Amino acid sequence: MKFFVDTADVPAIRELNDLGFVDGVTTNPSLIKKSGRDIIEVTKEICDLVDGPVSAEVTATDYETMVAEGRKLAEIASNVVIKLPLTLDGLKACKTLSNEGHKINVTLCFSANQALLAAKAGATYISPFIGRLDDINIDGLELIEDIRTIYDNYGFETEILAASIRTVNHISDCAKIGADVITAPPAVIKAMANHVLTDKGLAAFVADIEAAGIKIL
Ligand code: E4P
């Protein structure tokens, strides 16, 4: 399973990248706003920092402008993935841009039918939003399962990029289902390492090391 980090915060990406947990990055207009940076500038900086794919989202909602913006975003670096919304115009832009050889992440997916259309439009990634479905009492993980089944039934190569991840359990559940990628905020990825018994066990070992004066170096 690949780990993408869902942020435009460069120091946070650098920290996780140094830990070896960054296979790629996803951004969106809200994350760019939060960073306070210019979209082109910050995307370039992230692309230089990370080897893997970096999703950058278009701002337009009509086909022609989305295609023009997508081409401009793709010029930033060879690892840019153009992120397009799951609308009919977005799907049409997906077809055009993927036919040109660009990688596409179709975002804001909330149903299996939407995911089926994205695969048929040539999307490289489909981003179903788990947390936002959970927010309205719909099981987001069930959607990941449904998309996995549909894509496997027909051999679609579009990768399932589970998004809107809010908890560490979302990540392990996505891994059990077989999502290809998760994208999560840096804090959630780091929290995967936490366990109360690890802390307790380590404290006991440290106490014994001090009591016994155990030294290696
Ligand atoms: C995905 O690419 C989106 O950027 C993101 O996962 C949305 O998450 P949110 O629902 O927490 O805003």
Side-chain angles (χ1 to χ4, degrees), residues 52-76:
V54 175
S55 290
E57 189 160 344
V58 298
T59 62
T61 54
D62 66 286
Y63 166 77
E64 280 85 10
T65 321
M66 275 194 265
V67 168
E69 286 185 348
R71 289 178 184 141
K72 181 166 178 188
L73 290 171
E75 280 170 11
I76 296 174

PDB file of all heavy atoms in Angstrom, residues 52-76:
ATOM      1  N   GLY A  52       7.798  10.814  -5.612  1.00  0.00           N
ATOM      2  CA  GLY A  52       6.540  10.245  -6.107  1.00  0.00           C
ATOM      3  C   GLY A  52       5.584  11.278  -6.671  1.00  0.00           C
ATOM      4  O   GLY A  52       5.902  12.471  -6.755  1.00  0.00           O
ATOM      5  N   PRO A  53       4.382  10.813  -7.051  1.00  0.00           N
ATOM      6  CA  PRO A  53       3.383  11.699  -7.645  1.00  0.00           C
ATOM      7  C   PRO A  53       2.844  12.762  -6.684  1.00  0.00           C
ATOM      8  O   PRO A  53       2.649  12.497  -5.506  1.00  0.00           O
ATOM      9  CB  PRO A  53       2.247  10.738  -8.045  1.00  0.00           C
ATOM     10  CG  PRO A  53       2.520   9.453  -7.374  1.00  0.00           C
ATOM     11  CD  PRO A  53       3.959   9.405  -7.002  1.00  0.00           C
ATOM     12  N   VAL A  54       2.631  13.960  -7.222  1.00  0.00           N
ATOM     13  CA  VAL A  54       2.119  15.092  -6.427  1.00  0.00           C
ATOM     14  C   VAL A  54       0.859  15.614  -7.117  1.00  0.00           C
ATOM     15  O   VAL A  54       0.932  16.143  -8.224  1.00  0.00           O
ATOM     16  CB  VAL A  54       3.183  16.220  -6.336  1.00  0.00           C
ATOM     17  CG1 VAL A  54       2.617  17.444  -5.624  1.00  0.00           C
ATOM     18  CG2 VAL A  54       4.452  15.706  -5.635  1.00  0.00           C
ATOM     19  N   SER A  55      -0.289  15.430  -6.460  1.00  0.00           N
ATOM     20  CA  SER A  55      -1.547  15.871  -7.071  1.00  0.00           C
ATOM     21  C   SER A  55      -1.761  17.359  -6.847  1.00  0.00           C
ATOM     22  O   SER A  55      -1.689  17.843  -5.713  1.00  0.00           O
ATOM     23  CB  SER A  55      -2.738  15.129  -6.459  1.00  0.00           C
ATOM     24  OG  SER A  55      -2.743  13.780  -6.837  1.00  0.00           O
ATOM     25  N   ALA A  56      -2.053  18.074  -7.944  1.00  0.00           N
ATOM     26  CA  ALA A  56      -2.364  19.500  -7.882  1.00  0.00           C
ATOM     27  C   ALA A  56      -3.709  19.699  -8.574  1.00  0.00           C
ATOM     28  O   ALA A  56      -3.904  19.231  -9.699  1.00  0.00           O
ATOM     29  CB  ALA A  56      -1.273  20.308  -8.566  1.00  0.00           C
ATOM     30  N   GLU A  57      -4.608  20.387  -7.888  1.00  0.00           N
ATOM     31  CA  GLU A  57      -6.000  20.450  -8.368  1.00  0.00           C
ATOM     32  C   GLU A  57      -6.277  21.703  -9.199  1.00  0.00           C
ATOM     33  O   GLU A  57      -5.823  22.800  -8.862  1.00  0.00           O
ATOM     34  CB  GLU A  57      -6.945  20.398  -7.142  1.00  0.00           C
ATOM     35  CG  GLU A  57      -8.400  20.234  -7.508  1.00  0.00           C
ATOM     36  CD  GLU A  57      -9.230  19.713  -6.343  1.00  0.00           C
ATOM     37  OE1 GLU A  57      -8.656  19.198  -5.352  1.00  0.00           O
ATOM     38  OE2 GLU A  57     -10.465  19.825  -6.427  1.00  0.00           O
ATOM     39  N   VAL A  58      -7.062  21.528 -10.256  1.00  0.00           N
ATOM     40  CA  VAL A  58      -7.479  22.667 -11.078  1.00  0.00           C
ATOM     41  C   VAL A  58      -8.435  23.538 -10.269  1.00  0.00           C
ATOM     42  O   VAL A  58      -9.034  23.082  -9.290  1.00  0.00           O
ATOM     43  CB  VAL A  58      -8.171  22.203 -12.386  1.00  0.00           C
ATOM     44  CG1 VAL A  58      -7.221  21.401 -13.259  1.00  0.00           C
ATOM     45  CG2 VAL A  58      -9.448  21.394 -12.094  1.00  0.00           C
ATOM     46  N   THR A  59      -8.589  24.799 -10.721  1.00  0.00           N
ATOM     47  CA  THR A  59      -9.509  25.699 -10.008  1.00  0.00           C
ATOM     48  C   THR A  59     -10.805  25.889 -10.789  1.00  0.00           C
ATOM     49  O   THR A  59     -11.821  26.262 -10.221  1.00  0.00           O
ATOM     50  CB  THR A  59      -8.864  27.084  -9.786  1.00  0.00           C
ATOM     51  OG1 THR A  59      -8.588  27.673 -11.049  1.00  0.00           O
ATOM     52  CG2 THR A  59      -7.586  26.971  -8.976  1.00  0.00           C
ATOM     53  N   ALA A  60     -10.756  25.638 -12.102  1.00  0.00           N
ATOM     54  CA  ALA A  60     -11.941  25.861 -12.944  1.00  0.00           C
ATOM     55  C   ALA A  60     -12.930  24.710 -12.804  1.00  0.00           C
ATOM     56  O   ALA A  60     -12.577  23.643 -12.291  1.00  0.00           O
ATOM     57  CB  ALA A  60     -11.512  25.986 -14.396  1.00  0.00           C
ATOM     58  N   THR A  61     -14.159  24.924 -13.275  1.00  0.00           N
ATOM     59  CA  THR A  61     -15.151  23.846 -13.258  1.00  0.00           C
ATOM     60  C   THR A  61     -15.678  23.546 -14.674  1.00  0.00           C
ATOM     61  O   THR A  61     -16.452  22.622 -14.848  1.00  0.00           O
ATOM     62  CB  THR A  61     -16.337  24.189 -12.326  1.00  0.00           C
ATOM     63  OG1 THR A  61     -16.868  25.448 -12.715  1.00  0.00           O
ATOM     64  CG2 THR A  61     -15.902  24.241 -10.870  1.00  0.00           C
ATOM     65  N   ASP A  62     -15.268  24.335 -15.678  1.00  0.00           N
ATOM     66  CA  ASP A  62     -15.694  24.038 -17.054  1.00  0.00           C
ATOM     67  C   ASP A  62     -14.588  23.295 -17.794  1.00  0.00           C
ATOM     68  O   ASP A  62     -13.400  23.464 -17.493  1.00  0.00           O
ATOM     69  CB  ASP A  62     -16.044  25.338 -17.797  1.00  0.00           C
ATOM     70  CG  ASP A  62     -14.823  26.212 -17.999  1.00  0.00           C
ATOM     71  OD1 ASP A  62     -14.367  26.825 -17.013  1.00  0.00           O
ATOM     72  OD2 ASP A  62     -14.264  26.226 -19.130  1.00  0.00           O
ATOM     73  N   TYR A  63     -15.003  22.468 -18.753  1.00  0.00           N
ATOM     74  CA  TYR A  63     -14.081  21.574 -19.471  1.00  0.00           C
ATOM     75  C   TYR A  63     -12.855  22.290 -20.050  1.00  0.00           C
ATOM     76  O   TYR A  63     -11.723  21.927 -19.760  1.00  0.00           O
ATOM     77  CB  TYR A  63     -14.859  20.830 -20.570  1.00  0.00           C
ATOM     78  CG  TYR A  63     -13.982  20.154 -21.585  1.00  0.00           C
ATOM     79  CD1 TYR A  63     -13.335  18.959 -21.281  1.00  0.00           C
ATOM     80  CD2 TYR A  63     -13.787  20.712 -22.854  1.00  0.00           C
ATOM     81  CE1 TYR A  63     -12.499  18.335 -22.213  1.00  0.00           C
ATOM     82  CE2 TYR A  63     -12.965  20.098 -23.781  1.00  0.00           C
ATOM     83  CZ  TYR A  63     -12.324  18.914 -23.461  1.00  0.00           C
ATOM     84  OH  TYR A  63     -11.500  18.320 -24.376  1.00  0.00           O
ATOM     85  N   GLU A  64     -13.102  23.354 -20.866  1.00  0.00           N
ATOM     86  CA  GLU A  64     -11.977  23.996 -21.573  1.00  0.00           C
ATOM     87  C   GLU A  64     -10.939  24.546 -20.597  1.00  0.00           C
ATOM     88  O   GLU A  64      -9.736  24.341 -20.767  1.00  0.00           O
ATOM     89  CB  GLU A  64     -12.456  25.161 -22.480  1.00  0.00           C
ATOM     90  CG  GLU A  64     -13.023  24.734 -23.821  1.00  0.00           C
ATOM     91  CD  GLU A  64     -14.503  24.363 -23.715  1.00  0.00           C
ATOM     92  OE1 GLU A  64     -15.109  24.639 -22.628  1.00  0.00           O
ATOM     93  OE2 GLU A  64     -15.035  23.781 -24.680  1.00  0.00           O
ATOM     94  N   THR A  65     -11.421  25.254 -19.568  1.00  0.00           N
ATOM     95  CA  THR A  65     -10.455  25.872 -18.641  1.00  0.00           C
ATOM     96  C   THR A  65      -9.757  24.807 -17.805  1.00  0.00           C
ATOM     97  O   THR A  65      -8.574  24.924 -17.499  1.00  0.00           O
ATOM     98  CB  THR A  65     -11.148  26.938 -17.759  1.00  0.00           C
ATOM     99  OG1 THR A  65     -12.091  27.656 -18.528  1.00  0.00           O
ATOM    100  CG2 THR A  65     -10.147  27.903 -17.175  1.00  0.00           C
ATOM    101  N   MET A  66     -10.486  23.727 -17.441  1.00  0.00           N
ATOM    102  CA  MET A  66      -9.835  22.646 -16.680  1.00  0.00           C
ATOM    103  C   MET A  66      -8.697  22.031 -17.493  1.00  0.00           C
ATOM    104  O   MET A  66      -7.622  21.754 -16.966  1.00  0.00           O
ATOM    105  CB  MET A  66     -10.846  21.545 -16.311  1.00  0.00           C
ATOM    106  CG  MET A  66     -11.614  21.835 -15.057  1.00  0.00           C
ATOM    107  SD  MET A  66     -12.470  20.361 -14.467  1.00  0.00           S
ATOM    108  CE  MET A  66     -14.051  20.598 -15.189  1.00  0.00           C
ATOM    109  N   VAL A  67      -8.935  21.838 -18.788  1.00  0.00           N
ATOM    110  CA  VAL A  67      -7.893  21.242 -19.644  1.00  0.00           C
ATOM    111  C   VAL A  67      -6.687  22.190 -19.724  1.00  0.00           C
ATOM    112  O   VAL A  67      -5.529  21.766 -19.569  1.00  0.00           O
ATOM    113  CB  VAL A  67      -8.450  20.916 -21.054  1.00  0.00           C
ATOM    114  CG1 VAL A  67      -7.328  20.578 -22.025  1.00  0.00           C
ATOM    115  CG2 VAL A  67      -9.437  19.752 -20.964  1.00  0.00           C
ATOM    116  N   ALA A  68      -6.964  23.499 -19.903  1.00  0.00           N
ATOM    117  CA  ALA A  68      -5.859  24.472 -19.993  1.00  0.00           C
ATOM    118  C   ALA A  68      -5.092  24.519 -18.662  1.00  0.00           C
ATOM    119  O   ALA A  68      -3.848  24.512 -18.647  1.00  0.00           O
ATOM    120  CB  ALA A  68      -6.411  25.851 -20.345  1.00  0.00           C
ATOM    121  N   GLU A  69      -5.818  24.548 -17.558  1.00  0.00           N
ATOM    122  CA  GLU A  69      -5.146  24.593 -16.248  1.00  0.00           C
ATOM    123  C   GLU A  69      -4.353  23.301 -15.999  1.00  0.00           C
ATOM    124  O   GLU A  69      -3.246  23.328 -15.467  1.00  0.00           O
ATOM    125  CB  GLU A  69      -6.177  24.766 -15.121  1.00  0.00           C
ATOM    126  CG  GLU A  69      -6.763  26.169 -15.040  1.00  0.00           C
ATOM    127  CD  GLU A  69      -7.689  26.345 -13.842  1.00  0.00           C
ATOM    128  OE1 GLU A  69      -8.060  25.333 -13.192  1.00  0.00           O
ATOM    129  OE2 GLU A  69      -8.063  27.478 -13.555  1.00  0.00           O
ATOM    130  N   GLY A  70      -4.948  22.176 -16.392  1.00  0.00           N
ATOM    131  CA  GLY A  70      -4.280  20.890 -16.200  1.00  0.00           C
ATOM    132  C   GLY A  70      -2.952  20.857 -16.943  1.00  0.00           C
ATOM    133  O   GLY A  70      -1.933  20.429 -16.392  1.00  0.00           O
ATOM    134  N   ARG A  71      -2.963  21.351 -18.188  1.00  0.00           N
ATOM    135  CA  ARG A  71      -1.710  21.369 -18.979  1.00  0.00           C
ATOM    136  C   ARG A  71      -0.668  22.266 -18.303  1.00  0.00           C
ATOM    137  O   ARG A  71       0.515  21.940 -18.263  1.00  0.00           O
ATOM    138  CB  ARG A  71      -1.989  21.857 -20.401  1.00  0.00           C
ATOM    139  CG  ARG A  71      -2.754  20.828 -21.227  1.00  0.00           C
ATOM    140  CD  ARG A  71      -3.056  21.371 -22.624  1.00  0.00           C
ATOM    141  NE  ARG A  71      -3.868  20.428 -23.368  1.00  0.00           N
ATOM    142  CZ  ARG A  71      -4.864  20.767 -24.180  1.00  0.00           C
ATOM    143  NH1 ARG A  71      -5.172  22.055 -24.360  1.00  0.00           N
ATOM    144  NH2 ARG A  71      -5.564  19.857 -24.823  1.00  0.00           N
ATOM    145  N   LYS A  72      -1.132  23.404 -17.747  1.00  0.00           N
ATOM    146  CA  LYS A  72      -0.194  24.322 -17.080  1.00  0.00           C
ATOM    147  C   LYS A  72       0.375  23.658 -15.816  1.00  0.00           C
ATOM    148  O   LYS A  72       1.577  23.743 -15.551  1.00  0.00           O
ATOM    149  CB  LYS A  72      -0.891  25.640 -16.738  1.00  0.00           C
ATOM    150  CG  LYS A  72       0.050  26.612 -16.079  1.00  0.00           C
ATOM    151  CD  LYS A  72      -0.449  28.027 -15.997  1.00  0.00           C
ATOM    152  CE  LYS A  72       0.598  28.882 -15.270  1.00  0.00           C
ATOM    153  NZ  LYS A  72       0.147  30.212 -14.977  1.00  0.00           N
ATOM    154  N   LEU A  73      -0.477  23.002 -15.042  1.00  0.00           N
ATOM    155  CA  LEU A  73       0.005  22.325 -13.821  1.00  0.00           C
ATOM    156  C   LEU A  73       1.026  21.244 -14.177  1.00  0.00           C
ATOM    157  O   LEU A  73       2.042  21.082 -13.500  1.00  0.00           O
ATOM    158  CB  LEU A  73      -1.169  21.707 -13.046  1.00  0.00           C
ATOM    159  CG  LEU A  73      -2.136  22.686 -12.357  1.00  0.00           C
ATOM    160  CD1 LEU A  73      -3.359  21.943 -11.821  1.00  0.00           C
ATOM    161  CD2 LEU A  73      -1.437  23.440 -11.223  1.00  0.00           C
ATOM    162  N   ALA A  74       0.758  20.532 -15.268  1.00  0.00           N
ATOM    163  CA  ALA A  74       1.654  19.429 -15.674  1.00  0.00           C
ATOM    164  C   ALA A  74       3.036  19.935 -16.082  1.00  0.00           C
ATOM    165  O   ALA A  74       4.008  19.180 -16.034  1.00  0.00           O
ATOM    166  CB  ALA A  74       1.023  18.632 -16.805  1.00  0.00           C
ATOM    167  N   GLU A  75       3.107  21.214 -16.483  1.00  0.00           N
ATOM    168  CA  GLU A  75       4.414  21.787 -16.865  1.00  0.00           C
ATOM    169  C   GLU A  75       5.313  22.040 -15.657  1.00  0.00           C
ATOM    170  O   GLU A  75       6.522  22.229 -15.798  1.00  0.00           O
ATOM    171  CB  GLU A  75       4.213  23.131 -17.590  1.00  0.00           C
ATOM    172  CG  GLU A  75       3.827  22.975 -19.045  1.00  0.00           C
ATOM    173  CD  GLU A  75       3.407  24.313 -19.660  1.00  0.00           C
ATOM    174  OE1 GLU A  75       3.609  25.372 -19.026  1.00  0.00           O
ATOM    175  OE2 GLU A  75       2.861  24.266 -20.778  1.00  0.00           O
ATOM    176  N   ILE A  76       4.736  22.042 -14.455  1.00  0.00           N
ATOM    177  CA  ILE A  76       5.521  22.372 -13.247  1.00  0.00           C
ATOM    178  C   ILE A  76       6.645  21.358 -13.042  1.00  0.00           C
ATOM    179  O   ILE A  76       7.777  21.708 -12.747  1.00  0.00           O
ATOM    180  CB  ILE A  76       4.610  22.420 -11.988  1.00  0.00           C
ATOM    181  CG1 ILE A  76       3.591  23.560 -12.127  1.00  0.00           C
ATOM    182  CG2 ILE A  76       5.444  22.583 -10.717  1.00  0.00           C
ATOM    183  CD1 ILE A  76       2.554  23.586 -11.005  1.00  0.00           C
TER     184      ILE A  76
END
